């Protein structure tokens, strides 16, 4: 609900000079208003962020501290200007200080939510490092594999580990690798294990010292095992609709509906548009292949790729980038039967019906596993590259995952969880 300017200014004035009860009511009102993108800049311009930051000094046991941190989380979500102001006014240090209250304190939960949002930009990550936040986050991993505090701390560390080598080193130097490996090894079915895998994967990227520490802690094989889970979902046929881009003309052409599956060993997408009976096993042994397999097109997923979930039953893979390059077919030239060839790129594929979240998760684990195998110099197929993975909500609230090319390495961070303004 969008509010008028006078209402927002009135709430902020109460927040600045009202009684404890009035400050509480004001912070709760601003928290509700911060859920509307149209109110975020008005609250900022009215001085609301500075006033909320002052509430964080009310003490770890104060309800004002809790609601202040929660409202700041809502204001920071999807608003870079608000995140910048929180950092510039010392908010990151204040939030890190709250973590010292321990895993049972409500203010720790709320501070973790805010800090998790404040990890998508290197400036914010470095501010968390300077404030002593990494050591605090590592200590909270001991809250237990089924604790929300452990999940929030691991998610924040995963985002931080997608930053500079200085931050990766600081996580290792703070003793972060061993508790992450324990989460991964002892409780692989918990969400915290998935998040620990994200942190370890990012720590290993282009950092030989961290890779050695992960191996020494016994983390490599459990990590690869976890990332191999659920891959069986990718090998079964899925109904799809395909859009191609003709390289010569630049025009998009919608292809016939067909079926697709994935090759988890090579990171390929296999598409068959020609109808044929029998199972779809385009990457199995020749004796298991059906007539359809000879018609299957293969595309490398180790490209710039965006995955969206328009609905729970629809998954879209979009390969379109600024230069309209799209995804190259493994066999680049398509034989037209008349001696001529035609180049085309896969622009978008919509898979439906399917369990979109499950399939997306399996794809992300597949690509993450391949990148790790590359980093640890294990045997991997040709074409596997180094990429940071990004998973964020779109403006419409749809869950998205991006797989940037290596040239985008410095611009992107792995963010498996980006909280909404709730």
């Amino acid at each position: 609900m969008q509010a008028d300017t006078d209402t927002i200014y009135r709430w902020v004035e109460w927040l600045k000079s009202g009684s404890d009860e009035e400050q509480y009511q004001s912070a709760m009102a601003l928290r509700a208003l911060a859920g509307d993108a149209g109110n975020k800049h008005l609250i900022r311009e009215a001085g609301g962020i500075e006033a909320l930051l002052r509430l964080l000094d009310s003490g770890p046991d104060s309800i004002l501290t809790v609601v202040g941190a929660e409202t700041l989380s809502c204001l920071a979500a999807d608003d870079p200007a608000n995140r910048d102001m929180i950092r510039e006014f010392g908010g990151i240090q204040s939030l890190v200080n709250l973590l010292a209250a321990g895993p049972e304190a409500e203010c720790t939960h709320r501070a973790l939510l805010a800090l998790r949002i404040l990890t998508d930009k290197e400036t914010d990550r470095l501010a968390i490092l300077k404030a002593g936040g990494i050591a605090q986050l590592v200590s909270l991993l001991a809250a237990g594999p089924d604790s929300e505090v452990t999940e929030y701390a691991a998610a924040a560390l995963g985002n931080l580990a997608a930053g500079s080598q200085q931050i990766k080193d600081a996580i290792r130097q703070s003793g972060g690798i061993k508790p992450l490996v324990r989460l991964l090894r002892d409780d692989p079915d918990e969400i915290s294990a998935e998040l620990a895998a994200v942190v370890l994967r990012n720590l290993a990227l282009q950092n030989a010292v961290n890779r050695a520490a992960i191996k020494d802690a016994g983390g490599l094989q459990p990590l690869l095992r976890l990332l191999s889970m659920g891959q069986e979902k990718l090998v079964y046929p899925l109904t799809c609709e395909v859009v191609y881009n003709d390289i010569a003309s630049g025009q998009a052409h919608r292809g016939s509906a067909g079926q697709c599956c994935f090759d988890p060993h090579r990171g390929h997408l296999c598409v068959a548009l020609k109808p044929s009976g029998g199972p779809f096993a385009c990457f199995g042994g020749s004796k298991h292949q059906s007539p359809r397999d000879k018609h299957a097109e293969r595309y490398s997923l180790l490209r710039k790729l965006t995955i969206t979930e328009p609905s729970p039953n629809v998954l879209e893979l979009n390969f379109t980038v600024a230069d309209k390059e799209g995804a190259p077919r493994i066999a680049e030239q398509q034989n037209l039967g008349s001696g001529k060839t035609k180049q085309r790129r896969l622009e978008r594929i919509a898979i439906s019906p399917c369990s979109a979240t499950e399939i997306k998760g399996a794809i992300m684990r597949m690509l993450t596993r391949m990148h790790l195998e590359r980093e640890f110099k294990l045997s991997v197929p040709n074409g596997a590259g180094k990429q940071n993975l990004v998973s964020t909500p779109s403006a419409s609230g749809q869950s998205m995952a991006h797989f940037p090319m290596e040239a985008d390495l410095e611009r992107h961070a792995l963010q498996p969880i980006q909280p909404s303004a709730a």
Side-chain angles (χ1 to χ4, degrees):
M1 178 183 68
Q2 190 162 355
D4 60 85
T5 303
D6 289 342
T7 298
I8 288 177
Y9 271 80
R10 183 168 64 251
W11 286 124
V12 171
E13 283 303 312
W14 273 27
L15 196 61
K16 291 177 178 178
S17 57
S19 64
D20 285 355
E21 179 60 27
E22 288 171 336
Q23 287 181 322
Y24 173 75
Q25 294 297 335
S26 299
M28 292 292 289
L30 292 174
R31 184 187 68 172
L33 293 174
D36 190 303
N39 293 328
K40 291 177 184 284
H41 73 96
L42 296 176
I43 295 172
R44 179 179 69 245
E45 292 164 2
I49 288 178
E50 302 99 302
L52 288 164
L53 287 172
R54 284 196 289 272
L55 291 187
L56 301 185
D57 297 327
S58 303
D61 298 324
S62 171
I63 188 62
L64 292 178
T65 300
V66 172
V67 73
E70 188 171 358
T71 305
L72 286 167
S73 296
C74 295
L75 288 169
D78 301 317
D79 196 306
N82 281 352
R83 292 197 291 272
D84 287 343
M85 181 169 282
I86 290 171
R87 183 189 69 252
E88 291 164 2
F89 280 83
I92 286 179
Q93 183 68 69
S94 297
L95 290 165
V96 167
N97 291 344
L98 293 177
L99 300 182
E104 301 302 322
E106 189 65 24
C107 68
T108 298
H109 287 242
R110 299 297 177 252
L112 282 170
L113 286 171
L115 288 169
R116 190 173 61 179
I117 299 172
L118 293 164
T119 51
D120 70 332
K121 193 164 75 171
E122 188 65 11
T123 307
D124 294 332
R125 297 185 194 116
L126 291 172
I128 293 172
L129 173 63
K130 184 178 179 180
I134 287 179
Q136 293 280 13
L137 290 167
V138 168
S139 70
L140 291 172
L141 295 176
D146 57 350
S147 168
E148 282 190 344
V149 166
T150 299
E151 293 174 16
Y152 297 160
L157 285 167
N159 293 351
L160 288 165
S164 65
Q165 298 300 326
Q166 178 185 3
I167 295 175
K168 296 176 194 284
D169 290 339
I171 294 173
R172 182 191 71 252
Q173 292 161 358
S174 297
I177 288 178
K178 286 186 177 179
L180 288 165
V181 170
R182 279 197 297 272
L183 289 172
L184 189 66
R185 183 186 60 221
D186 298 344
D187 298 277
D189 295 329
E190 295 287 347
I191 295 174
S192 57
E194 293 258 4
L195 295 171
V198 168
V199 189
L200 292 168
R201 187 269 170 188
N202 274 2
L203 288 174
L205 184 63
Q206 298 182 330
N207 192 306
V209 178
N210 281 350
R211 290 196 293 274
I214 291 169
K215 290 179 71 174
D216 290 345
L220 179 56
Q221 293 308 316
L223 181 56
L224 294 176
R225 277 198 300 271
L226 184 143
L227 293 172
S228 297
M229 293 171 61
Q231 301 297 283
E232 68 278 358
K233 297 181 177 71
L234 300 178
V235 304
Y236 296 109
L238 298 162
T239 304
C240 66
E241 185 178 64
V242 179
V243 176
Y244 293 101
N245 183 275
D246 182 272
I247 293 178
S249 66
Q251 295 180 342
H253 300 283
R254 187 174 299 277
S256 303
Q259 287 186 319
C260 68
C261 69
F262 298 86
D263 183 341
H265 302 293
R266 296 179 178 85
H268 291 173
L269 166 68
C270 306
V271 181
L273 299 180
K274 296 183 179 181
S276 177
F280 187 18
C282 60
F283 52 86
S286 58
K287 65 180 180 179
H288 301 299
Q289 292 179 335
S290 73
R292 168 180 287 167
D293 298 331
K294 65 184 179 182
H295 302 302
E297 302 172 359
R298 281 177 170 268
Y299 296 92
S300 172
L301 291 177
L302 294 168
R303 303 287 299 172
K304 190 161 189 174
L305 167 65
T306 299
I307 304 178
T308 62
E309 298 176 50
S311 76
N313 299 318
V314 179
L315 189 71
E316 288 191 357
L317 281 65
N318 195 321
F319 297 88
T320 306
V321 293
D323 59 6
K324 304 295 184 185
E325 185 174 283
R329 185 175 173 181
I330 301 301
E332 283 282 332
Q333 302 292 331
Q334 178 193 10
N335 194 327
L336 300 182
S338 59
K340 298 180 180 180
T341 59
K342 177 182 179 182
Q343 278 193 318
R344 65 180 184 178
R345 300 280 177 129
L346 181 62
E347 187 170 296
R348 184 171 67 255
I349 181 168
I351 302 171
S352 175
C354 70
S355 176
T357 299
E358 286 188 9
I359 297 299
K360 186 188 78 169
I363 293 171
M364 292 179 70
R365 285 192 293 274
M366 172 184 70
L367 295 177
T368 300
R369 189 201 76 244
M370 294 184 69
H371 300 150
L372 271 174
E373 290 170 343
R374 171 86 174 194
E375 285 295 320
F376 283 92
K377 295 182 171 57
L378 303 178
S379 177
V380 294
N382 291 333
K386 299 176 182 177
Q387 304 171 348
N388 267 328
L389 309 187
V390 185
S391 181
T392 60
S394 66
S396 63
Q398 297 173 2
S399 179
M400 305 176 68
H402 307 281
F403 300 85
M405 290 183 288
E406 187 171 0
D408 297 322
L409 191 61
E410 296 303 319
R411 298 195 294 108
H412 291 279
L414 177 53
Q415 299 175 351
I417 297 180
Q418 181 77 11
S420 61

